Amino acid sequence: MTNGRSLLLAYDQGLEHGPTDFNERNSDPSFVVEVANKGGFNGIILQKGIAEKYYDGKIPLIVKLNGKTSLVKGEPVSRQICSVEEAEALGAKAVGYTIYLGSEYEHVMLQEFGKIHEDAHRHGVPVIAWVYPRGIAIKDDTAPEIVAYAARAGLEVGADAVKIKYTGNPETFRWAVRNAGKTKVYMSGGPKAPTEEDFLRQVSGAIQAGAVGLAVGRNVWQAEDPLLISKKLKEIVIEKRQVQAKA
Amino acid sequence: MTNGRSLLLAYDQGLEHGPTDFNERNSDPSFVVEVANKGGFNGIILQKGIAEKYYDGKIPLIVKLNGKTSLVKGEPVSRQICSVEEAEALGAKAVGYTIYLGSEYEHVMLQEFGKIHEDAHRHGVPVIAWVYPRGIAIKDDTAPEIVAYAARAGLEVGADAVKIKYTGNPETFRWAVRNAGKTKVYMSGGPKAPTEEDFLRQVSGAIQAGAVGLAVGRNVWQAEDPLLISKKLKEIVIEKRQVQAKA
Amino acid sequence: MTNGRSLLLAYDQGLEHGPTDFNERNSDPSFVVEVANKGGFNGIILQKGIAEKYYDGKIPLIVKLNGKTSLVKGEPVSRQICSVEEAEALGAKAVGYTIYLGSEYEHVMLQEFGKIHEDAHRHGVPVIAWVYPRGIAIKDDTAPEIVAYAARAGLEVGADAVKIKYTGNPETFRWAVRNAGKTKVYMSGGPKAPTEEDFLRQVSGAIQAGAVGLAVGRNVWQAEDPLLISKKLKEIVIEKRQVQAKA
Amino acid sequence: MTNGRSLLLAYDQGLEHGPTDFNERNSDPSFVVEVANKGGFNGIILQKGIAEKYYDGKIPLIVKLNGKTSLVKGEPVSRQICSVEEAEALGAKAVGYTIYLGSEYEHVMLQEFGKIHEDAHRHGVPVIAWVYPRGIAIKDDTAPEIVAYAARAGLEVGADAVKIKYTGNPETFRWAVRNAGKTKVYMSGGPKAPTEEDFLRQVSGAIQAGAVGLAVGRNVWQAEDPLLISKKLKEIVIEKRQVQAKA
Amino acid sequence: MTNGRSLLLAYDQGLEHGPTDFNERNSDPSFVVEVANKGGFNGIILQKGIAEKYYDGKIPLIVKLNGKTSLVKGEPVSRQICSVEEAEALGAKAVGYTIYLGSEYEHVMLQEFGKIHEDAHRHGVPVIAWVYPRGIAIKDDTAPEIVAYAARAGLEVGADAVKIKYTGNPETFRWAVRNAGKTKVYMSGGPKAPTEEDFLRQVSGAIQAGAVGLAVGRNVWQAEDPLLISKKLKEIVIEKRQVQAKA
C-alpha cells in the first residue's frame, strides 16, 4: 500500500452475482489473479474457495468471510462461510465481511461481525467491512446521509476499513469519509460504469474526498484492456492524479 | 464519581442514529473525547470501535456491548457486538447493554443480558442496563408506570445501574428510582432539548428524585459551548444545585 | 420445610408484572425479605438481581432462572437469565423456571428446562417448575384438565416440584396432585384475592387435596398486615388447619 | 428380547397427551411400572422425570429424549429434553426420539436426531426413532406409502429401530418393513382400539409382516386386566401366534 | 477414479424421495451396494444409516451429510445430520452436502457448508457440494445461467466437486463447467429418463462439456439390467465414448 493508499481487485462476484458478470476470459480465476499481479494491485479479494485453488501469494490476499447469491429475494442476509483461522491459513493479510445495514437481519450480521472483529484482532488480522445499506427500509443506497451512516457504522463496530458506495460527488462523499474517522474508506467499484471517463471521475472524486483507495472488480476485469484501466486507476488512487469534472 | 453521583458522556449515537446527529466538529471522536476529559466527566460511553481508536485513558471508559442502527423498522432488537473480555482489554471500567423492554425480541435481549451480567460479575466489571421500553406494545415510553417498570426490570435482572428516560417530573421519577432499589439510576439525556433551561430543569428534577447521575450526549456535544453546559450539569448532578421549575 | 410441607414467599413480580403490583412499602425488597424472615417462611423466591443485592441468608433462597415482562403481547416465552451456577453462588437451595405450556414457544422452554434440570441435578440442586398453560391455544388456564396436564408435565420432565394454579375446588385439584406423582405440588398464590377468607379457603383446599405447600406473593406482601396473614397461612399449610367452605 | 422380538410398554403419554389418557389407577407410574415388570415386557419407555422417580431396574429402560404436549397447535416440533448421558445415568439400555416427518420443523428434528445418534453410538446405546409423519403436508399418516417413507427415513438416518404406525393390513405393512431394511420395526400401539380383538389382529398382522415387536401403552394400561392383555400380546409378538382376519 | 473421471452411484433417495422410487429389489440396500461393487463404480453415495449397516468397503464411500424428505413444502432446507468425524469413522473417502441455492434458507446452508468444508479439509476429506437452485425464486433449475451459477457457487465456497443438473446441451453445460474452474463437475443423474438412449446422450454431452463424471442413481438401479447400463455409462464417462445427438 503506497502512500497509505491502495487499489484492491475484488473477485467474489461469482458468488454474489453469478456468471452473468463473466465472459469466457474473466470467468477463469487464473486470468483475474494474473491481472491483479501484473496490474500492480495492492490486494486481491477472494472467497475461500477461489483463494484455496488459485491464489499464488504474489500480492496480498483479502478473504471475504461471508457471501450470498443474488437469487434469494427479500431482506438480505449473508452469513459467515469462512473462519478467520481458515483465512489466515490461506495466507490472508486481511479479512472482509458484508453488513447489510437496515436489513431485518442487520442484528445477525452486526453480531457476527462483532465476533469476527474480536477473533481477527486477537490474531492481528485487519478487518474490512463492506457496509451496504439494503432492504425494504432503504430507499436510496447512495444517498449522502445513508453512505455516511454506513461509514460511521463501520467505525463504531471496529472495522479497520470500510468499503462503501460512492455518493456521486466529492462534497457529500467527504462527509462520509469524515464520519468514518480513523477507519479507512474504500470506494466500492460497483457495476461497470457507462464510460471509462465516468468511472475514473468517480474514483478521482472519492480519492479527493479522502478515500484511501478503491476496491474494484467489474470495471477492471470486464474492461477490454484490464491492465490499461488498472494503470489509469493507480495514477488516480496512488499518485492522486485528478480527473476533472465534465464541463 | 463524586458523592456517589456521576456525569457520563454518551457518544454511541453514530451507530444508533447515524451522522444526522453530527456536525463537522462533533463528528470527530477526538473532539468529544476531549470534551469528556476537559469537562470533568466521570465516564465516557463508547462502542468498541471508537474506544479502540480514540480512547486515551484519561477518564473511565464504559463500553457499550450491543447496538443497532435506526434504519431497521419493526420490533427493535440489539445484539451483542462486543464481549466483556474485549471491553476489559480496551480499558473499560464498566459495560453497557440496551434492553428494549416490551419488544417481541425482549426475551432475546434479557437472555443475552443475563449472560453478560454473569460474565461481567465474574470479571468484577459493573453492568449498566439501558432499559428502553419500545415496540408496538409500548404506547408512551416516558409514562411513569413504564419508566418505573424499566427501572425495576433493571434491578431484577442484576444491573448495577440503569439508564432510563425522564418521566417529566420529579414526583413520578421518584417512583422509578424507588423501584430500582439498590440499582443506581441514570437519567438518559435524550435528544437536544428545546432550551438549555428546560434541559437543566429536567436533570435537576431527576437528581432531586434520587438519580445518581446523568448520561448525556447530544445536549453536551451539540451545544455551542460544550464545556459551559458540562459545568452547569456538574453543578446540578454533583453539587446538587437545584433548578427551579418555571413559575 | 416442616412435615414435608412448606410456605414460600414469591417476589419476582417486579419483573413479571412491573411496579403496578407495588406500593411505597412493598416496592422495597428489604421490606419483603424481612416479611419472609419474620413470617417464618420456608423459602423466598427471587430473581438473581434482587438476590444479589438483598438476600441475607436467613431463610432458604430459591432463584428464578427465567423471566419476562407483561409488556410483550403474543405467544409467551421466557428464557433463561440466570445459570444454575450463578444461583448456587448466590446461595440458592433450589432453582425455579417457568414453562408456558401450550405456547408456540413451548418447545423452546421445555428444551431449556431439560438442560437446567440436568445441570441442577448434577449440582444436587432441586428444580421447581412453574408450569403455566398459556397462549392462544389455552382457553381456561384453571380448567381441571389443564391444571392436571401442567402438573403431569412437571413430573414427566423431571421437576422436583411444580407450582400450578388452583382449580377452584379440592376435588379437581386432587386429580392434578395425583398426576404430579412424586413431584411435589405448590399452589400458586396468584393475584390478591377479593377477601382474605376466600384466599385462605383456596389454600386450605389445595393442601387438603395433597399440595405440599403454597408459593404466595401478593396476598402476603400486599396485605395490610403481612405477618398476620403469614401466620394464618402457616396454620393452614404447615399445621393443616382446615378452612370450611362457605355455607 | 426373545427370538429377536420384543414387547415394549410405552408410558410417556402424560406429557404427549396429558392426564385425559389416565384414570385413578394408571395415572400412578408405580402401577404401570408394576404392569411392565409382571407382564414380562422386554422394556419400558419413560420420560426422564418418571424414570428418575419410579424406575426400579427390573426390566430394560428406554428413555424418550424429546417430547411435547398436545396443547400447541400448528406444525409439530419436539425438542430434546434429556441428553444421552442423562439417560445412561438413569440406567437406559436404549433411547428414543420422535421425528415429525413432513413438519415444517422436520429439519430441526432430523438434525437433532443426527447428533443424538452420533452421541448414543459413541456410548454404545441403541437409538429408536419414533417416525411420525405429521403436519399440514400430511393428509393420511397411515397411508402405506407414508408409513413406508417413515420406516425408510429411520433407516437412512441411522435408527437402530423405528416405531411406526400400522397401515391397516399386513401386505402394505410388509412394504414398510422391507424399506426399513436392517432397522428393526416396532408397531406403534396407538389409541385404545375399539375392541381387543381388533387390536390383537393388527398386532398379529404387523408381526407377520416382519415387525420385531410392538410398543404399546394405552391398549395395555387402560385395559381392565393389563396382565391378561399383556399375556395375549406376548403370545402374538414373541411366540408369533397368528390372529385370523375377520371372516 | 480412472483418467480423472469417475462414475458414482447415488442411493440416498430413500430419504430424499421415499420408497416410491423403489421396487422389491432395489429397496434393499444390499442389492444396490452389490450393483455398485460389480458395476465397477468409482464410489457409492449413502446416508450414514445405510453406510453403517450395509457398506462393505469394496469401493470408495461418499457419505451424504445432510438430507430432507420430499414431504415438506415451502422453501427447501436441509440440515446436517452426520458429522465429518462420523463419516470418516464409517470409512468415507469424501463427504457430500446439498445447498439449495436461492432458497430463503440459502444462508443457513451456505454457513453450514462453510463449517463442514473447514472441518473436512482439516481432516483431509474432500467435499462434494450438491448445488441445487430451488425455491420460489427459481423458475427453471436447468436454465443454463442457473446451472452455471450453481457450479460457480460451488467453486467460490470451496467445494472440491459439485454435483449439478444437466442443462440439456453440451454448449450451455460447458459454460457451467467453465465457471466451476478447478472444482470438478459431476452431472446429476436425475429422475429416470424416458429412454436409455436419451439418458446416455445427456451423459455423453456432459462429459464432452468437461464434466469429470456422473453421479447416477435411479437410471441405474431402476433399470432392468443395472450392470448393463452401468457398463454403457462407464464407456461414456471413463472411456469417453461419444453418443451422437439424434438426427
Side-chain angles (χ1 to χ4, degrees):
Chain A
M1 317 203 183
T2 324
N3 306 325
R5 281 190 303 283
S6 61
L7 185 64
L8 309 175
L9 191 64
Y11 188 60
D12 63 336
Q13 290 81 356
L15 181 58
E16 298 294 331
H17 311 143
T20 52
D21 278 7
F22 298 146
N23 59 25
E24 200 62 27
R25 193 175 64 168
N26 58 36
S27 58
D28 180 5
S30 302
F31 171 77
V32 176
V33 167
E34 199 61 21
V35 165
N37 291 344
K38 289 198 178 149
F41 279 82
N42 305 104
I44 184 165
I45 300 160
L46 301 171
Q47 284 283 348
K48 69 173 175 180
I50 292 190
E52 199 176 27
K53 294 188 179 63
Y54 295 91
Y55 176 62
D56 58 10
K58 293 191 183 154
I59 60 167
L61 170 69
I62 295 132
V63 172
K64 191 74 192 320
L65 300 187
N66 65 342
K68 61 182 274 301
T69 72
S70 60
L71 297 169
V72 196
K73 305 307 167 197
E75 291 294 283
V77 57
S78 183
R79 300 297 305 269
Q80 186 171 9
I81 299 174
C82 179
S83 71
V84 172
E85 290 74 12
E86 270 184 291
E88 275 196 288
L90 291 168
K93 291 287 173 288
V95 292
Y97 184 91
T98 303
I99 301 168
Y100 292 112
L101 228 59
S103 159
E104 277 179 22
Y105 297 96
E106 179 194 282
H107 64 100
V108 173
M109 291 172 281
L110 282 177
Q111 183 174 31
E112 195 159 80
F113 180 83
K115 283 179 192 151
I116 285 170
H117 169 268
E118 181 174 9
D119 204 15
H121 281 205
R122 205 186 303 117
H123 287 73
V125 177
V127 184
I128 307 175
W130 277 228
V131 192
Y132 293 159
R134 199 171 297 176
I136 208 164
I138 307 300
K139 301 284 170 284
D140 175 5
D141 69 345
T142 57
E145 68 275 16
I146 288 293
V147 175
Y149 203 157
R152 184 65 177 207
L155 165 62
E156 298 265 347
V157 300
D160 297 288
V162 285
K163 184 169 162 241
I164 53 176
K165 291 203 171 177
Y166 188 55
T167 54
N169 72 66
E171 287 66 39
T172 54
F173 200 67
R174 186 168 289 122
W175 179 235
V177 172
R178 170 94 188 154
N179 273 284
K182 294 186 184 175
T183 294
K184 291 171 187 168
V185 173
Y186 285 90
M187 175 185 148
S188 168
K192 186 115 173 47
T195 73
E196 187 186 291
E197 197 58 26
D198 283 338
F199 181 59
L200 296 179
R201 202 178 298 111
Q202 288 171 19
V203 175
S204 175
I207 296 296
Q208 300 312 317
V212 302
L214 170 74
V216 63
R218 289 164 282 177
N219 278 292
V220 164
W221 44 253
Q222 285 180 354
E224 233 171 278
D225 187 342
L227 294 181
L228 182 61
I229 178 85
S230 300
K231 190 167 169 293
K232 291 179 187 173
L233 288 169
K234 278 177 66 182
E235 285 171 13
I236 295 168
V237 172
I238 310 296
E239 295 160 35
K240 247 183 155 168
R241 181 177 74 81
Q242 288 198 28
V243 180
Q244 297 305 323
K246 262 190 280 210
Chain B
M1 317 205 182
T2 324
N3 307 325
R5 282 190 300 286
S6 62
L7 186 64
L8 309 175
L9 192 62
Y11 188 59
D12 63 337
Q13 291 82 355
L15 181 59
E16 298 293 332
H17 312 143
T20 51
D21 278 7
F22 298 146
N23 59 24
E24 199 63 26
R25 193 175 65 168
N26 59 36
S27 60
D28 180 5
S30 302
F31 171 78
V32 177
V33 167
E34 199 61 21
V35 166
N37 290 345
K38 289 198 177 149
F41 279 82
N42 306 102
I44 185 165
I45 299 160
L46 302 171
Q47 283 283 348
K48 70 173 175 179
I50 292 191
E52 198 176 30
K53 294 189 178 63
Y54 295 92
Y55 176 61
D56 58 11
K58 292 190 181 154
I59 60 167
L61 170 68
I62 295 131
V63 171
K64 192 72 191 320
L65 300 187
N66 64 342
K68 60 182 274 301
T69 72
S70 60
L71 297 169
V72 196
K73 305 308 170 198
E75 292 294 280
V77 56
S78 183
R79 300 298 305 268
Q80 187 171 8
I81 300 174
C82 179
S83 71
V84 171
E85 290 73 14
E86 269 185 292
E88 275 197 288
L90 291 167
K93 292 286 174 287
V95 292
Y97 184 91
T98 303
I99 301 167
Y100 292 112
L101 228 57
S103 159
E104 277 178 24
Y105 297 97
E106 179 194 282
H107 63 100
V108 173
M109 290 173 281
L110 283 177
Q111 183 174 31
E112 195 159 80
F113 180 84
K115 283 181 191 148
I116 284 170
H117 169 268
E118 181 173 9
D119 203 15
H121 281 205
R122 205 186 304 118
H123 287 73
V125 177
V127 183
I128 307 175
W130 277 228
V131 192
Y132 294 158
R134 199 171 297 176
I136 208 165
I138 307 299
K139 301 283 169 284
D140 175 6
D141 69 345
T142 58
E145 69 275 16
I146 287 293
V147 175
Y149 203 156
R152 184 66 178 207
L155 166 62
E156 298 265 347
V157 300
D160 297 287
V162 284
K163 185 169 163 240
I164 53 175
K165 291 203 171 179
Y166 188 55
T167 53
N169 73 65
E171 286 68 37
T172 53
F173 200 68
R174 186 168 289 121
W175 179 235
V177 172
R178 170 93 188 154
N179 273 285
K182 294 186 185 176
T183 293
K184 292 171 186 169
V185 173
Y186 284 90
M187 174 185 149
S188 168
K192 187 120 174 42
T195 73
E196 185 186 291
E197 198 56 25
D198 284 338
F199 182 60
L200 296 179
R201 204 178 297 111
Q202 288 172 20
V203 175
S204 176
I207 296 297
Q208 300 312 316
V212 302
L214 169 75
V216 62
R218 289 164 283 177
N219 278 292
V220 164
W221 45 253
Q222 284 181 354
E224 232 171 278
D225 187 342
L227 293 181
L228 182 61
I229 178 82
S230 299
K231 189 168 170 292
K232 291 178 186 172
L233 287 169
K234 278 177 66 182
E235 285 171 13
I236 295 168
V237 172
I238 311 296
E239 295 160 36
K240 247 183 154 169
R241 182 177 73 81
Q242 289 199 26
V243 180
Q244 297 304 323
K246 262 191 281 209
Chain C
M1 317 206 182
T2 324
N3 307 327
R5 282 190 300 286
S6 62
L7 186 64
L8 309 175
L9 192 62
Y11 188 59
D12 63 335
Q13 291 82 354
L15 181 59
E16 298 293 332
H17 312 143
T20 51
D21 277 6
F22 299 146
N23 60 22
E24 199 64 24
R25 192 175 65 167
N26 59 36
S27 59
D28 181 6
S30 301
F31 171 78
V32 176
V33 167
E34 199 61 22
V35 165
N37 290 344
K38 289 197 178 150
F41 279 81
N42 305 103
I44 185 165
I45 299 161
L46 302 171
Q47 284 283 348
K48 70 172 177 181
I50 293 191
E52 197 176 31
K53 294 189 178 63
Y54 294 92
Y55 176 61
D56 58 12
K58 292 189 182 155
I59 61 168
L61 170 67
I62 294 132
V63 172
K64 192 70 193 321
L65 300 188
N66 64 341
K68 59 181 276 301
T69 71
S70 60
L71 298 169
V72 195
K73 305 308 168 198
E75 291 295 280
V77 57
S78 183
R79 300 298 304 269
Q80 186 171 9
I81 299 174
C82 178
S83 71
V84 171
E85 290 73 14
E86 270 185 291
E88 275 197 287
L90 292 167
K93 292 285 174 287
V95 293
Y97 184 91
T98 303
I99 301 168
Y100 293 113
L101 228 57
S103 159
E104 276 178 25
Y105 297 96
E106 179 194 280
H107 64 101
V108 173
M109 291 172 282
L110 283 177
Q111 182 173 33
E112 195 159 81
F113 179 84
K115 283 181 192 148
I116 284 170
H117 169 268
E118 181 174 8
D119 204 13
H121 281 207
R122 205 186 303 116
H123 287 73
V125 177
V127 183
I128 307 176
W130 277 228
V131 191
Y132 293 160
R134 202 171 295 177
I136 207 165
I138 307 299
K139 301 285 169 283
D140 175 5
D141 69 345
T142 58
E145 70 276 17
I146 288 293
V147 175
Y149 203 157
R152 183 67 177 205
L155 166 62
E156 298 265 347
V157 299
D160 297 287
V162 284
K163 185 168 164 243
I164 53 176
K165 291 203 171 179
Y166 188 55
T167 54
N169 73 66
E171 287 67 39
T172 53
F173 200 67
R174 185 166 291 124
W175 179 236
V177 172
R178 171 93 188 153
N179 274 284
K182 294 187 184 175
T183 293
K184 292 172 186 169
V185 172
Y186 285 90
M187 174 185 149
S188 168
K192 188 119 174 40
T195 73
E196 186 186 292
E197 197 57 25
D198 283 340
F199 182 59
L200 296 178
R201 203 178 299 111
Q202 287 171 21
V203 175
S204 175
I207 296 297
Q208 300 312 317
V212 302
L214 170 74
V216 63
R218 288 163 284 176
N219 278 292
V220 164
W221 45 253
Q222 284 181 354
E224 234 172 278
D225 187 342
L227 293 181
L228 182 60
I229 177 83
S230 300
K231 189 168 170 294
K232 291 178 187 173
L233 287 169
K234 278 177 67 182
E235 285 171 13
I236 295 168
V237 172
I238 310 295
E239 295 159 35
K240 246 181 153 169
R241 182 178 74 81
Q242 289 199 25
V243 180
Q244 297 305 322
K246 262 192 281 209
Chain D
M1 317 205 182
T2 323
N3 306 325
R5 282 190 300 285
S6 61
L7 186 65
L8 308 175
L9 193 62
Y11 189 59
D12 63 335
Q13 291 81 355
L15 181 58
E16 298 293 331
H17 312 144
T20 51
D21 277 7
F22 298 146
N23 60 23
E24 199 63 24
R25 194 176 64 167
N26 59 35
S27 59
D28 180 6
S30 301
F31 171 77
V32 177
V33 167
E34 199 61 20
V35 165
N37 291 344
K38 289 197 178 152
F41 279 82
N42 306 103
I44 184 164
I45 300 161
L46 302 171
Q47 283 283 349
K48 70 173 176 181
I50 292 191
E52 199 176 30
K53 294 189 177 64
Y54 295 92
Y55 176 61
D56 59 11
K58 291 190 183 155
I59 60 168
L61 170 68
I62 294 132
V63 172
K64 191 73 191 319
L65 300 188
N66 64 341
K68 61 180 276 299
T69 71
S70 60
L71 298 169
V72 195
K73 305 308 169 199
E75 291 295 281
V77 57
S78 183
R79 301 297 307 268
Q80 187 172 9
I81 300 174
C82 178
S83 71
V84 172
E85 290 74 14
E86 270 185 291
E88 275 197 288
L90 291 167
K93 292 286 174 287
V95 293
Y97 185 91
T98 303
I99 301 167
Y100 293 112
L101 228 58
S103 159
E104 276 179 24
Y105 297 97
E106 179 194 281
H107 64 101
V108 173
M109 291 172 282
L110 282 178
Q111 183 174 32
E112 196 160 81
F113 179 84
K115 284 181 191 149
I116 284 170
H117 169 267
E118 182 173 8
D119 204 13
H121 281 206
R122 206 187 302 116
H123 288 73
V125 177
V127 183
I128 306 176
W130 277 227
V131 191
Y132 293 159
R134 202 171 295 176
I136 207 165
I138 306 299
K139 301 285 170 282
D140 175 5
D141 68 346
T142 57
E145 69 275 15
I146 288 292
V147 175
Y149 203 157
R152 183 67 178 205
L155 166 62
E156 297 266 346
V157 301
D160 297 288
V162 285
K163 185 169 163 242
I164 53 175
K165 291 203 172 177
Y166 188 54
T167 54
N169 72 66
E171 287 67 38
T172 53
F173 200 67
R174 187 167 290 124
W175 180 235
V177 172
R178 170 95 188 151
N179 274 285
K182 295 187 184 176
T183 293
K184 291 171 187 169
V185 172
Y186 285 90
M187 174 186 149
S188 168
K192 187 119 173 41
T195 74
E196 187 187 291
E197 198 57 23
D198 283 339
F199 182 59
L200 296 178
R201 202 176 299 111
Q202 288 171 20
V203 175
S204 175
I207 296 297
Q208 300 313 316
V212 303
L214 170 75
V216 64
R218 289 163 284 177
N219 278 292
V220 164
W221 43 254
Q222 284 180 355
E224 233 172 278
D225 187 342
L227 293 181
L228 183 60
I229 177 81
S230 299
K231 190 168 169 292
K232 292 179 186 172
L233 287 169
K234 279 177 66 183
E235 284 170 14
I236 295 169
V237 172
I238 310 296
E239 295 159 36
K240 247 181 154 170
R241 182 177 73 82
Q242 289 199 25
V243 180
Q244 298 304 323
K246 259 190 282 207
Chain E
M1 316 202 183
T2 323
N3 307 325
R5 281 190 301 283
S6 60
L7 186 64
L8 309 175
L9 192 62
Y11 189 59
D12 63 336
Q13 291 81 355
L15 181 59
E16 298 293 331
H17 311 144
T20 52
D21 277 7
F22 298 147
N23 60 24
E24 200 63 25
R25 193 175 64 168
N26 59 35
S27 59
D28 180 4
S30 302
F31 171 78
V32 177
V33 167
E34 199 61 20
V35 165
N37 292 344
K38 290 197 178 149
F41 279 82
N42 306 103
I44 185 165
I45 300 161
L46 301 171
Q47 284 283 347
K48 70 173 175 180
I50 292 190
E52 199 176 28
K53 295 190 178 61
Y54 294 91
Y55 176 62
D56 58 11
K58 292 189 184 155
I59 60 168
L61 170 68
I62 294 132
V63 172
K64 191 74 192 319
L65 300 187
N66 64 342
K68 61 181 275 299
T69 72
S70 61
L71 298 169
V72 196
K73 305 307 169 197
E75 291 294 283
V77 57
S78 183
R79 300 296 306 268
Q80 186 171 9
I81 299 174
C82 178
S83 70
V84 172
E85 290 73 14
E86 271 184 291
E88 275 197 287
L90 291 167
K93 292 287 173 288
V95 292
Y97 184 92
T98 304
I99 301 167
Y100 292 112
L101 227 59
S103 159
E104 277 179 22
Y105 297 97
E106 179 194 283
H107 64 100
V108 173
M109 290 173 281
L110 282 178
Q111 183 173 33
E112 195 159 80
F113 179 84
K115 284 179 191 150
I116 284 169
H117 169 267
E118 181 174 9
D119 204 14
H121 281 205
R122 205 186 303 115
H123 287 74
V125 177
V127 183
I128 307 176
W130 277 228
V131 191
Y132 293 159
R134 201 171 296 177
I136 208 164
I138 306 299
K139 301 285 170 282
D140 175 5
D141 68 346
T142 58
E145 69 275 16
I146 288 292
V147 175
Y149 203 157
R152 183 66 178 206
L155 166 63
E156 298 265 347
V157 300
D160 297 288
V162 285
K163 186 170 162 239
I164 53 175
K165 291 202 172 179
Y166 188 55
T167 54
N169 72 66
E171 288 66 38
T172 54
F173 200 67
R174 187 167 290 124
W175 179 236
V177 172
R178 170 96 188 153
N179 273 284
K182 294 186 185 174
T183 293
K184 291 172 187 167
V185 172
Y186 284 90
M187 174 185 150
S188 169
K192 187 117 171 45
T195 73
E196 187 187 291
E197 198 57 25
D198 284 338
F199 182 59
L200 296 179
R201 203 177 298 111
Q202 288 171 21
V203 176
S204 175
I207 297 296
Q208 300 312 317
V212 302
L214 169 74
V216 63
R218 289 164 282 178
N219 278 292
V220 164
W221 44 254
Q222 285 181 354
E224 234 172 277
D225 187 342
L227 294 181
L228 183 61
I229 178 83
S230 300
K231 191 167 169 291
K232 291 178 186 172
L233 288 169
K234 278 176 67 183
E235 284 170 14
I236 294 169
V237 172
I238 311 296
E239 295 160 34
K240 248 182 154 168
R241 182 177 74 80
Q242 289 199 27
V243 180
Q244 298 304 323
K246 261 190 281 209

